[in-house]
Amino acid sequence: PMPGRVLIGVVPFSPPCYANNLLATTTERDQNQLLRMRAADLLQIEEEEWPVLRLELLQNNRIIRETQLRTGSNTTLPVEITIAPIRFGEREFLCITVRDISLRQEAEREIRRHRDHLQDMVEERTAEIRAVLDASPLAIVLTEKSHIRLVNPAFETLFGYGSKQIIGKPEYILYESNGRFQHTSEEIQEQIRAGAVFRGEVELRQRDGHAFWAMLFAKALDAKRPERGVIQLIEDVTAQRFAAQA
């Protein structure tokens, strides 16, 4: 068994040869139904996009993108899919791991709603920002000049630090190595200078030294004054990464 919702097939326009129970439950279909459908029927990806994805897969060996998953009740679910080739004996297949990102998108929308005045709210430690941070299922950290200024309870749970232990510490202690921190920090700053949001998988480290893979989103509080701080959302994707590589 593989963690996450998994679909394995040869090409997107042929029925898959395997779909796990979690995918069946999520799509409100039984496995027999799924095995008669095509990945192109389940995922909102235009037909002309699949050849482009195939070329990208040949170049990068793995693709991560967001789309919508069609369910049996004629609704759609926002998902992130990871497409990777896998081999069984002499045969090669495409493994598509599907991850529900509804909670993440909800958290992102909440962060965007508060972005324009987040710095003032952080400084005043208002009840409003505390409620937003405390309610988020994703780890959130505010950094300023590469030092940690604010974390939420989900961050404390994920990393094993209490807020009093981590606030004021250098950001690099969250990374698997200082080299990885420097590389990721440069990429984040590049996106911030372009007025964009950084999004990427990074290897981080918990307080006990355990390393894990995370999806990291980072954006300046104020695009015109990036020195005011960077807000980051962190999601543990270790299980999904291993499933895609299985």
Side-chain angles (χ1 to χ4, degrees), residues 95-132:
C95 176
I96 304 178
T97 305
V98 182
R99 184 156 55 95
D100 183 352
I101 57 173
S102 301
L103 287 176
R104 191 184 78 196
Q105 288 192 348
E106 181 181 348
E108 290 171 355
R109 287 192 293 268
E110 192 68 25
I111 292 297
R112 285 196 295 269
R113 282 195 289 269
H114 290 271
R115 182 183 58 202
D116 293 341
H117 59 288
L118 185 57
Q119 181 63 37
D120 291 337
M121 296 167 68
V122 169
E123 292 172 352
E124 298 170 3
R125 296 295 195 271
T126 62
E128 183 182 4
I129 186 60
R130 193 71 259 175
V132 171

Coordinates of all heavy atoms in Angstrom, one line a residue, residues 95-132:
C95 N 3.1 6.9 -12.4 CA 2.5 6.9 -11.1 C 2.0 8.4 -10.8 O 2.8 9.3 -10.8 CB 3.4 6.5 -10.0 SG 2.7 6.6 -8.3
I96 N 0.7 8.5 -10.6 CA 0.2 9.9 -10.3 C -0.3 9.9 -8.8 O -1.3 9.2 -8.5 CB -1.0 10.2 -11.2 CG1 -0.5 10.1 -12.7 CG2 -1.5 11.6 -10.9 CD1 -1.7 10.4 -13.7
T97 N 0.4 10.6 -8.0 CA 0.0 10.8 -6.6 C -0.9 12.0 -6.4 O -0.4 13.1 -6.9 CB 1.2 10.8 -5.7 OG1 2.0 9.7 -5.9 CG2 0.8 10.9 -4.2
V98 N -2.0 11.9 -5.9 CA -3.0 13.0 -5.8 C -3.1 13.4 -4.3 O -3.4 12.6 -3.4 CB -4.4 12.6 -6.3 CG1 -5.3 13.8 -6.3 CG2 -4.2 12.1 -7.7
R99 N -2.9 14.7 -4.0 CA -3.0 15.2 -2.7 C -4.0 16.3 -2.5 O -4.0 17.3 -3.3 CB -1.6 15.7 -2.2 CG -1.5 16.2 -0.8 CD -0.1 16.1 -0.3 NE 0.8 16.9 -1.2 CZ 1.2 18.2 -1.0 NH1 0.7 18.8 0.1 NH2 2.0 18.8 -1.8
D100 N -4.9 16.2 -1.6 CA -6.0 17.2 -1.4 C -5.3 18.4 -0.8 O -4.6 18.4 0.3 CB -7.0 16.6 -0.4 CG -8.1 17.6 -0.1 OD1 -8.1 18.7 -0.5 OD2 -9.1 17.1 0.6
I101 N -5.5 19.6 -1.4 CA -4.9 20.8 -0.9 C -5.9 21.8 -0.5 O -5.7 23.0 -0.4 CB -3.9 21.4 -2.0 CG1 -4.7 21.7 -3.3 CG2 -2.7 20.6 -2.2 CD1 -3.9 22.5 -4.3
S102 N -7.1 21.4 -0.2 CA -8.2 22.3 0.2 C -7.8 23.1 1.5 O -8.0 24.3 1.5 CB -9.5 21.5 0.5 OG -9.9 20.7 -0.6
L103 N -7.3 22.4 2.5 CA -6.9 23.1 3.7 C -5.8 24.2 3.4 O -5.8 25.3 4.0 CB -6.4 22.2 4.8 CG -7.5 21.3 5.4 CD1 -6.9 20.3 6.4 CD2 -8.6 22.2 6.1
R104 N -4.8 23.8 2.6 CA -3.7 24.7 2.3 C -4.2 25.9 1.6 O -3.9 27.0 1.9 CB -2.7 24.0 1.4 CG -1.4 24.8 1.3 CD -0.4 24.1 0.4 NE -0.8 24.3 -1.0 CZ -0.3 23.6 -2.0 NH1 0.5 22.6 -1.8 NH2 -0.6 23.8 -3.3
Q105 N -5.1 25.7 0.6 CA -5.7 26.9 -0.1 C -6.5 27.8 0.8 O -6.4 29.0 0.6 CB -6.5 26.4 -1.3 CG -5.7 25.8 -2.5 CD -6.5 25.6 -3.7 OE1 -7.7 25.6 -3.7 NE2 -5.8 25.3 -4.8
E106 N -7.2 27.1 1.7 CA -8.0 28.0 2.6 C -7.0 28.8 3.5 O -7.3 30.0 3.8 CB -8.8 27.0 3.5 CG -9.7 27.8 4.5 CD -10.5 26.8 5.4 OE1 -10.6 25.6 5.1 OE2 -11.1 27.3 6.4
A107 N -6.0 28.2 3.9 CA -5.0 28.9 4.7 C -4.3 30.0 3.9 O -4.1 31.1 4.4 CB -3.9 28.0 5.3
E108 N -4.0 29.8 2.7 CA -3.4 30.8 1.8 C -4.4 32.0 1.6 O -3.9 33.1 1.6 CB -3.0 30.2 0.4 CG -1.9 29.2 0.5 CD -1.7 28.5 -0.8 OE1 -2.5 28.6 -1.7 OE2 -0.7 27.7 -0.9
R109 N -5.7 31.7 1.4 CA -6.6 32.7 1.2 C -6.7 33.6 2.5 O -6.8 34.8 2.4 CB -8.0 32.2 0.9 CG -8.1 31.6 -0.5 CD -9.6 31.4 -0.9 NE -10.1 30.3 -0.1 CZ -10.1 29.0 -0.5 NH1 -9.5 28.7 -1.7 NH2 -10.6 28.0 0.2
E110 N -6.6 32.9 3.7 CA -6.7 33.6 4.9 C -5.5 34.5 5.1 O -5.6 35.7 5.5 CB -6.8 32.6 6.1 CG -7.1 33.3 7.4 CD -8.6 33.8 7.5 OE1 -9.4 33.3 6.7 OE2 -8.8 34.7 8.3
I111 N -4.3 34.0 4.7 CA -3.1 34.8 4.8 C -3.2 36.0 3.9 O -2.8 37.1 4.2 CB -1.9 33.9 4.5 CG1 -1.6 32.9 5.6 CG2 -0.6 34.8 4.3 CD1 -1.3 33.5 6.9
R112 N -3.7 35.8 2.6 CA -3.8 36.9 1.7 C -4.7 38.0 2.2 O -4.5 39.2 2.0 CB -4.3 36.4 0.3 CG -3.2 35.7 -0.5 CD -3.6 35.5 -1.9 NE -4.8 34.7 -2.1 CZ -4.8 33.4 -2.2 NH1 -3.6 32.7 -2.3 NH2 -5.9 32.7 -2.4
R113 N -5.8 37.6 2.9 CA -6.8 38.6 3.4 C -6.1 39.5 4.4 O -6.5 40.6 4.6 CB -8.0 37.8 3.9 CG -9.0 37.4 2.9 CD -10.3 37.0 3.5 NE -10.3 35.8 4.3 CZ -10.5 34.6 3.8 NH1 -10.8 34.4 2.5 NH2 -10.4 33.5 4.6
H114 N -5.2 38.9 5.1 CA -4.5 39.7 6.2 C -3.2 40.3 5.8 O -2.5 41.0 6.6 CB -4.3 38.8 7.4 CG -5.6 38.4 8.1 ND1 -6.2 39.2 9.1 CD2 -6.5 37.4 7.9 CE1 -7.3 38.7 9.5 NE2 -7.5 37.6 8.8
R115 N -2.7 40.0 4.6 CA -1.4 40.4 4.2 C -1.1 41.9 4.3 O -0.1 42.3 4.8 CB -1.1 39.9 2.7 CG 0.3 40.2 2.2 CD 0.4 39.7 0.8 NE -0.6 40.4 0.0 CZ -1.1 40.0 -1.2 NH1 -0.6 38.8 -1.7 NH2 -2.0 40.6 -1.9
D116 N -2.0 42.7 3.8 CA -1.8 44.1 3.7 C -1.5 44.8 5.1 O -0.8 45.7 5.2 CB -3.0 44.8 3.0 CG -3.1 44.4 1.6 OD1 -2.1 43.9 1.0 OD2 -4.2 44.6 1.0
H117 N -2.2 44.2 6.1 CA -1.9 44.8 7.4 C -1.4 43.8 8.4 O -1.4 44.1 9.6 CB -3.2 45.4 7.9 CG -4.3 44.4 8.1 ND1 -5.0 43.8 7.1 CD2 -4.9 43.9 9.2 CE1 -5.9 43.0 7.5 NE2 -5.9 43.0 8.8
L118 N -0.7 42.8 7.9 CA -0.2 41.7 8.8 C 0.9 42.3 9.7 O 1.0 41.9 10.9 CB 0.3 40.5 8.0 CG 0.8 39.3 8.8 CD1 -0.3 38.8 9.7 CD2 1.2 38.2 7.8
Q119 N 1.8 43.1 9.2 CA 2.9 43.6 10.0 C 2.4 44.3 11.2 O 2.9 44.1 12.3 CB 3.8 44.5 9.2 CG 5.0 45.0 9.9 CD 5.9 43.9 10.4 OE1 6.1 42.9 9.7 NE2 6.5 44.0 11.6
D120 N 1.4 45.2 11.0 CA 0.9 46.0 12.2 C 0.2 45.0 13.2 O 0.4 45.2 14.4 CB -0.1 47.0 11.7 CG 0.5 48.1 10.9 OD1 1.7 48.4 11.1 OD2 -0.2 48.8 10.1
M121 N -0.5 44.0 12.7 CA -1.1 43.1 13.5 C -0.1 42.3 14.3 O -0.3 42.0 15.5 CB -2.0 42.1 12.7 CG -3.2 42.8 12.0 SD -4.0 41.8 10.8 CE -4.7 40.5 11.8
V122 N 1.0 41.9 13.7 CA 2.1 41.2 14.4 C 2.7 42.0 15.5 O 2.9 41.6 16.6 CB 3.2 40.7 13.4 CG1 4.4 40.2 14.1 CG2 2.6 39.7 12.4
E123 N 2.9 43.3 15.2 CA 3.5 44.2 16.1 C 2.6 44.4 17.3 O 3.1 44.4 18.5 CB 3.9 45.5 15.5 CG 5.0 45.4 14.4 CD 5.2 46.7 13.7 OE1 4.3 47.6 13.8 OE2 6.2 46.8 12.9
E124 N 1.4 44.5 17.1 CA 0.4 44.7 18.2 C 0.0 43.4 18.9 O -0.6 43.5 19.9 CB -0.8 45.4 17.7 CG -0.5 46.8 17.1 CD -1.6 47.4 16.4 OE1 -2.7 46.8 16.3 OE2 -1.5 48.5 15.8
R125 N 0.3 42.3 18.3 CA -0.1 41.0 18.8 C -1.6 40.9 19.1 O -2.0 40.5 20.2 CB 0.7 40.6 20.2 CG 2.2 40.5 20.0 CD 2.5 39.3 19.1 NE 3.9 38.9 19.3 CZ 4.9 39.4 18.5 NH1 4.6 40.3 17.6 NH2 6.1 39.0 18.6
T126 N -2.3 41.4 18.1 CA -3.8 41.5 18.3 C -4.4 40.1 18.4 O -3.8 39.1 17.9 CB -4.4 42.2 17.1 OG1 -4.1 41.5 15.9 CG2 -3.8 43.6 17.0
A127 N -5.5 40.0 18.9 CA -6.3 38.8 19.0 C -6.6 38.2 17.7 O -6.7 37.0 17.5 CB -7.5 39.0 19.9
E128 N -6.8 39.1 16.7 CA -7.2 38.7 15.4 C -6.1 37.8 14.7 O -6.4 36.7 14.2 CB -7.6 39.9 14.5 CG -8.1 39.5 13.1 CD -8.4 40.7 12.3 OE1 -8.1 41.8 12.7 OE2 -8.9 40.5 11.1
I129 N -4.9 38.4 14.7 CA -3.8 37.6 14.0 C -3.5 36.3 14.8 O -3.2 35.3 14.2 CB -2.6 38.5 13.8 CG1 -1.5 37.7 13.0 CG2 -2.0 38.9 15.2 CD1 -1.9 37.3 11.7
R130 N -3.6 36.4 16.1 CA -3.3 35.2 16.9 C -4.3 34.1 16.6 O -4.0 32.9 16.5 CB -3.4 35.6 18.4 CG -2.9 34.5 19.3 CD -1.4 34.4 19.2 NE -0.9 33.3 18.4 CZ 0.4 33.1 18.1 NH1 1.3 34.0 18.5 NH2 0.7 32.1 17.4
A131 N -5.6 34.5 16.4 CA -6.7 33.5 16.1 C -6.4 32.9 14.7 O -6.6 31.7 14.5 CB -8.0 34.2 16.1
V132 N -6.0 33.7 13.7 CA -5.7 33.2 12.4 C -4.6 32.2 12.4 O -4.6 31.1 11.9 CB -5.4 34.4 11.4 CG1 -4.8 33.9 10.1 CG2 -6.6 35.3 11.2

